[in-house]
Amino acid sequence: MHVGVLGAGIVGLATAWQLSRRGFQVSVVDRAEPGSGASGGNGAQLSYSYVQPLADPSIWKQLPKLLLSPSSPLKLRPQLDPLQWRWGLAFLAACNARTSRQTTAQLLTLAAESRAAFEAMLAALEPDCDFSATGKLVLYGSASSLEAAGRQLELQRAMGSEQRLVTPEECIAIEPALAAYRRQIAGAIHTPSECAADCLKLCVALEGALRARGVRFLLDCEVQGFDRHHGRDGRVRAVLTSAGDLEADAFVMALGTASHRLGRRLGAYLPVYPLKGYSITVDVDPASEGAPHVSVTDSARKVVFARIGSRLRVAGMAELVGHDASIPATRIETLAAATRAVFPQASRMAALHPWTGMRPATPTGVPIIGRLPRAPRNMLFNTGHGALGFTLAFGSAERVAAQLAS
């Protein structure tokens, strides 16, 4: 069977990898180079055990800040966009304890599958992607936020996650580079099994390995529409691209935020909206021990820090502002200031390498995987992973591959 994979981000490439392993003939289409979208400068964390969804009851108290504050790490700017309003209302409806618990359970199950699939890929491919398994600390700056985190910890621990609450002193023992930030830490959750890697470098390695396995790549190639068979099921005969028609027996749409627009052409509603994030990547100061080896998330700042080789990736913010790909200097300075505050000796900050990406998010945080009722049966979907795209990519790809193989 020939499968056309639409999208060459980490989700699309993971899908192509899993399909190729199962013996499918695979073609990959993307309008740019592999990993150049939301995968290119992401937070680099593989967060298999800490998957708290953004749609959480605490959002209700934050709404005034989300709507009005220019410095809020979470930002919502209403626009004349029906999808934004429909998505936003569904997101607010999901901000309750029951939905948050259900989403956490679903994400933890998928994350466990993804860890196993990712580790199998690592063993088979041995990619140069600065992979590390040094664990993660999620920092909390107040007793109230730490108490709420403790409830989430108990929920995740009951579902199989191995993590514990630690004191500020224990944080420093786990990651000595946090010593200068001690007074800002009320406590943390430590998950020793979490990992990190350079997602863009992995995308490049996967492309090379897939080409060697005979996978065809159609890059700089825009997906423009679909040619469907007449009849009851309306199967997709070919994907129409800027380089001509791509015919295949089945297709997987892994186009991130573009999935909503193209899904509508097939009669399917995909509640996927861009969740804009930013990152900087700085060289670690070789003369200092001030850069972390453990991944760190500062929950108050909504900023993550991940060591990738001799560099430090600093990423954060979540903005619902449409498809605006500009990079405001104030957002980059926020990340730079966070780096100087949390890890003042980590880097000389000579070059920041600013980046922005549009994470494809669903209102609940649960990705859309597999077939949809109103879509053609030979078009499967793998999109909507939000900020957990890197974490969940190989698990969702395995689910799609299993559906096609059944």
Side-chain angles (χ1 to χ4, degrees), residues 56-66 151:
D56 180 85
S58 64
I59 287 292
W60 291 102
K61 293 181 180 179
Q62 302 177 46
L63 268 182
K65 187 177 181 180
L66 297 182
R151 292 192 292 270

Side-chain angles (χ1 to χ4, degrees), residues 153-208:
L153 179 149
E154 292 302 327
L155 173 63
Q156 293 178 159
R157 189 153 54 189
M159 297 175 183
S161 296
E162 294 183 9
Q163 45 198 196
R164 65 188 181 100
L165 282 172
V166 294
T167 65
E169 289 70 26
E170 289 173 313
C171 283
I172 309 305
I174 294 165
E175 179 46 77
L178 283 168
Y181 200 56
R182 162 64 183 84
R183 292 186 179 181
Q184 307 301 317
I185 303 172
I189 291 179
H190 180 224
T191 310
S193 61
E194 302 289 55
C195 310
D198 186 325
C199 188
L200 179 57
K201 291 180 73 172
L202 179 58
C203 287
V204 172
L206 282 169
E207 180 195 0

Side-chain angles (χ1 to χ4, degrees), residues 142-149 151:
S142 67
S144 59
S145 62
L146 187 63
E147 181 181 355
R151 292 192 292 270

Side-chain angles (χ1 to χ4, degrees), residues 274-360:
L275 196 63
K276 185 179 182 182
Y278 303 89
S279 76
I280 59 175
T281 307
V282 297
D283 290 334
V284 169
D285 186 350
S288 170
E289 291 296 321
H293 291 276
V294 174
S295 291
V296 173
T297 297
D298 188 328
S299 65
R301 297 175 184 269
K302 297 291 190 295
V303 172
V304 303
F305 303 85
R307 181 74 169 264
I308 43 177
S310 61
R311 298 162 296 144
L312 183 66
R313 173 69 50 76
V314 185
M317 272 77 85
E319 299 180 350
L320 279 84
V321 293
H323 291 82
D324 176 14
S326 64
I327 304 180
T330 54
R331 292 313 232 177
I332 298 307
E333 176 52 34
T334 295
L335 294 175
T339 307
R340 289 190 290 265
V342 182
F343 298 109
Q345 304 301 318
S347 173
R348 297 170 186 173
M349 311 284 282
L352 301 182
H353 303 288
W355 174 90
T356 189
M358 305 292 177
R359 313 177 190 106

Side-chain angles (χ1 to χ4, degrees), residues 7 39 77 104 113 119 152 167 177 183 198 210 266 298-299 308 324 328 346 348 352 368 370 385 396:
S39 303
R77 292 293 180 267
T104 297
E113 296 170 16
E119 290 176 351
Q152 180 71 14
T167 65
R183 292 186 179 181
D198 186 325
L210 289 166
L266 296 171
D298 188 328
S299 65
I308 43 177
D324 176 14
R348 297 170 186 173
L352 301 182
I368 300 165
H385 299 68
S396 64

